[in-house]
């Protein structure tokens, strides 16, 4: 009998807590829309977890950024500083508001925004810095906060990948005027699709609640003084979120164990760069376990990923920088701009299976496969 070798998926979530019971409760009670008790419970517990006064559940982490930008009143002609090495949602939210994304390269060690290059990008039109914590380590927040204070800039903190992470013992998601999260299934906690906006300011929270719900007039329904969106999360999604949040600390431990196992197996290799285990401000939570091929490797990430795929290992490429996106070139944005660190990360970076359901033996298999293709 031929035994089929298992394909190791790049991500598989863990849904074996109270998720099923909570979902059954939704079905039995009939609360399946965006009204229902789990929404409130999820928002309250999430706000508590990240030390914020308000949490507003939305349909995903991308629209959370759209709402954040709109709620801060960022609009036509305003500039927002952001990393080029991130997901398109960040730049898209700024551009949709009529504002201008101003890009900064990455730090070659942490892969986060290079804070030493932020100040040179500030102009009279700069209104905010969009901070994006990448792959498991937070950005250097104390320096960013100092810059934001000096130049009177708002901070929008994209914590989509940072549930359960802290910077100098304060939760990621507690640093921005507005901070946002995603609950896509590859995140530390998931709701299938989903997102959260958090803030301490009552007026900003109220604005976000209105914007995500079509800006209904509070006194007369179907009367609208502003344009909003339907970005509501459902009670079904929140039911999963409540169950997941109960296990966040456990999930962070699992991810750290995964990262440390990969480290142990790969740290001797001089042909790859792997994530930093810890800095003086945080211990990595390994949203994903990234690998960057060093210059002594004769092939790029695409080839490496193909080779690993053939060995039954799922991978994903790193982000593709904003200044190289065809859609923005068509808009005439970022012409002739070059950010070498991010370009190298895009060309030579990818990540290994990093999901919560990954077994220790899977990690060993992935590390062995990587070693094999590097020695080929
Ligand atoms: C940094 C960052 N921001 C925003 C998002 C968008 O979140 P979503 O997929 O929920 O729209 C992601 C998704 O992976 C992300 O990594």
């Amino acid at each position: 009998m031929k035994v089929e070798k298992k394909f190791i998926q790049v991500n598989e979530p863990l849904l074996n807590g109270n998720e099923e019971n909570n979902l059954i409760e939704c079905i039995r009670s009939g609360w399946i829309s965006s009204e229902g008790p789990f929404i409130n419970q999820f928002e309250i517990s999430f706000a508590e977890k990240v030390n914020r006064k308000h949490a507003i559940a939305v349909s995903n982490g991308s629209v959370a950024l759209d709402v954040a930008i709109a709620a801060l009143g960022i609009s036509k002609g305003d500039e927002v500083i952001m990393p080029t090495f991130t997901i398109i949602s960040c730049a898209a939210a700024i551009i949709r508001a009529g504002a201008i994304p101003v890009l900064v390269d990455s730090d070659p060690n942490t892969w986060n925004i290079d804070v030493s290059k932020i100040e040179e990008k500030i102009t009279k039109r700069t209104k905010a810095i969009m901070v994006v914590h990448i792959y498991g380590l937070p950005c250097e927040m104390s320096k960013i906060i100092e810059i934001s204070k000096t130049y009177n800039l708002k901070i929008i903190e994209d914590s989509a990948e940072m549930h359960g992470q802290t910077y100098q013992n304060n939760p990621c998601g507690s640093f921005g005027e507005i901070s946002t999260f995603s609950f896509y299934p590859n995140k530390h906690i998931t709701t299938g699709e989903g997102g959260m906006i958090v803030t301490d300011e009552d007026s900003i929270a109220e604005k976000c609640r209105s914007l995500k719900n079509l800006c209904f007039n509070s006194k007369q329904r179907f009367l609208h003084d502003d344009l909003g969106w339907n970005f509501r999360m459902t009670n079904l999604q929140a039911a999963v979120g409540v169950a997941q949040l109960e296990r966040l600390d456990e999930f962070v431990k699992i991810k750290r164990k995964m990262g440390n196992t990969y480290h142990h197996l790969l740290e001797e290799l001089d042909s790859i760069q792997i994530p930093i285990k810890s800095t003086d401000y945080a211990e990595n939570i390994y949203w994903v376990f990234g690998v960057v091929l060093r210059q002594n490797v004769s092939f790029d990430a695409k080839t490496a990923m193909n080779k690993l795929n053939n060995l039954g290992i799922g991978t994903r490429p790193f982000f593709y920088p904003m200044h190289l996106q065809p859609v923005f070139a068509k808009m005439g944005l970022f012409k002739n701009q070059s950010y070498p660190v991010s370009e190298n990360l895009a060309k030579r970076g990818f990540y290994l299976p990093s999901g919560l359901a990954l077994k220790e033996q899977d990690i060993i298999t992935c590390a062995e496969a990587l070693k094999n293709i590097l020695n080929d």
Side-chain angles (χ1 to χ4, degrees):
M1 193 178 77
K2 191 175 162 215
V3 181
E4 284 294 325
K5 214 173 126 203
K6 166 179 119 167
F7 188 87
I8 302 177
Q9 301 292 343
V10 75
N11 176 65
E12 269 184 74
L14 276 183
L15 299 164
N16 51 358
N18 286 322
E19 291 80 0
E20 190 175 338
N21 284 341
N22 289 359
L23 283 171
I24 290 170
E25 200 175 313
C26 296
I27 304 289
R28 291 197 177 145
S29 66
W31 286 115
I32 59 166
S33 76
S34 59
E35 289 181 42
F38 282 117
I39 294 279
N40 213 9
Q41 195 182 333
F42 189 33
E43 289 182 340
I44 289 169
S45 328
F46 197 88
E48 213 169 274
K49 193 83 194 163
V50 290
N51 281 350
R52 302 302 300 244
K53 193 166 173 196
H54 303 279
I56 301 110
V58 291
S59 36
N60 57 65
S62 300
V63 301
L65 291 166
D66 284 278
V67 172
I69 294 276
L72 290 178
I74 289 167
S75 59
K76 197 158 191 281
D78 291 342
E79 292 178 1
V80 179
I81 293 178
M82 59 168 280
T84 187
F85 185 69
T86 182
I87 193 162
I88 194 156
S89 317
C90 304
I94 296 166
I95 291 167
R96 282 198 199 102
I100 303 155
V102 175
L103 304 178
V104 174
D105 206 353
S106 305
D107 178 290
N109 300 312
T110 63
W111 309 332
N112 280 319
I113 189 164
D114 184 341
V115 286
S116 70
K117 301 209 165 96
I118 292 179
E119 259 180 299
E120 65 199 55
K121 295 289 178 124
I122 295 174
T123 72
K124 281 195 187 112
R125 295 195 293 180
T126 311
K127 289 287 180 317
I129 305 173
M130 185 184 278
V131 174
V132 188
H133 309 297
I134 301 277
Y135 293 170
L137 270 183
C139 301
E140 284 184 73
M141 288 313 303
S142 52
K143 289 189 191 157
I144 293 169
I145 290 167
E146 200 183 305
I147 295 171
S148 78
K149 283 191 177 145
T150 308
Y151 296 92
N152 195 21
L153 305 175
K154 305 242 183 280
I155 294 179
I156 302 155
E157 183 191 9
D158 183 348
S159 291
E161 307 169 0
M162 283 301 127
H163 321 75
Q165 180 57 295
T166 56
Y167 173 88
Q168 289 178 351
N169 298 320
N170 292 310
C172 287
S174 66
F175 293 98
E177 256 76 24
I178 300 190
S179 306
T180 61
F181 288 86
S182 160
F183 303 118
Y184 189 71
N186 60 6
K187 302 304 188 295
H188 279 64
I189 59 169
T190 183
T191 58
E193 296 282 355
M196 195 71 86
I197 302 165
V198 294
T199 183
D200 292 327
E201 296 247 354
D202 298 349
S203 61
I204 292 179
E206 200 181 318
K207 184 99 188 145
C208 291
R209 287 202 182 281
S210 174
L211 283 164
K212 78 150 197 190
N213 191 24
L214 297 169
C215 293
F216 278 108
N217 184 298
S218 58
K219 296 200 178 71
Q220 192 178 336
R221 206 162 169 88
F222 299 113
L223 203 64
H224 306 264
D225 301 315
D226 291 296
L227 276 186
W229 299 275
N230 174 359
F231 287 160
R232 300 183 298 253
M233 175 184 272
T234 68
N235 198 50
L236 293 160
Q237 291 167 300
V240 175
V242 164
Q244 290 268 296
L245 191 56
E246 287 164 358
R247 300 180 67 191
L248 177 55
D249 296 343
E250 175 195 343
F251 288 169
V252 168
K253 278 193 192 133
I254 293 174
K255 286 283 214 166
R256 286 201 168 124
K257 190 159 179 252
M258 172 204 74
N260 289 339
T261 307
Y262 270 130
H263 253 278
H264 177 69
L265 296 165
L266 298 172
E267 64 198 357
E268 297 292 302
L269 300 185
D270 61 3
S271 49
I272 53 170
Q273 179 193 4
I274 57 177
I276 296 175
K277 254 189 185 166
S278 61
T279 62
D280 54 1
Y281 50 80
E283 193 190 331
N284 207 320
I285 57 163
Y286 304 101
W287 172 52
V288 294
F289 195 90
V291 169
V292 183
L293 303 171
R294 294 203 190 272
Q295 300 307 325
N296 58 1
V297 177
S298 61
F299 48 84
D300 63 8
K302 224 182 216 171
T303 308
M305 289 165 60
N306 276 335
K307 286 175 188 246
L308 287 169
N309 186 63
N310 293 340
L311 295 174
I313 314 286
T315 55
R316 288 283 183 282
F318 269 14
F319 290 132
Y320 208 78
M322 293 305 104
H323 65 285
L324 301 179
Q325 294 291 341
V327 59
F328 297 142
K330 273 196 277 182
M331 293 176 174
L333 287 167
F334 316 131
K335 245 191 231 163
N336 302 323
Q337 294 187 20
S338 162
Y339 301 97
V341 177
S342 303
E343 285 162 23
N344 185 61
L345 291 174
K347 203 166 161 213
R348 303 188 74 78
F350 63 95
Y351 60 87
L352 294 169
S354 307
L356 285 160
L358 203 64
K359 303 270 181 299
E360 183 160 348
Q361 185 52 52
D362 296 331
I363 302 173
I364 295 169
T365 306
C366 295
E368 286 308 315
L370 179 60
K371 282 183 193 168
N372 283 343
I373 66 155
L374 291 170
N375 287 333
D376 243 2

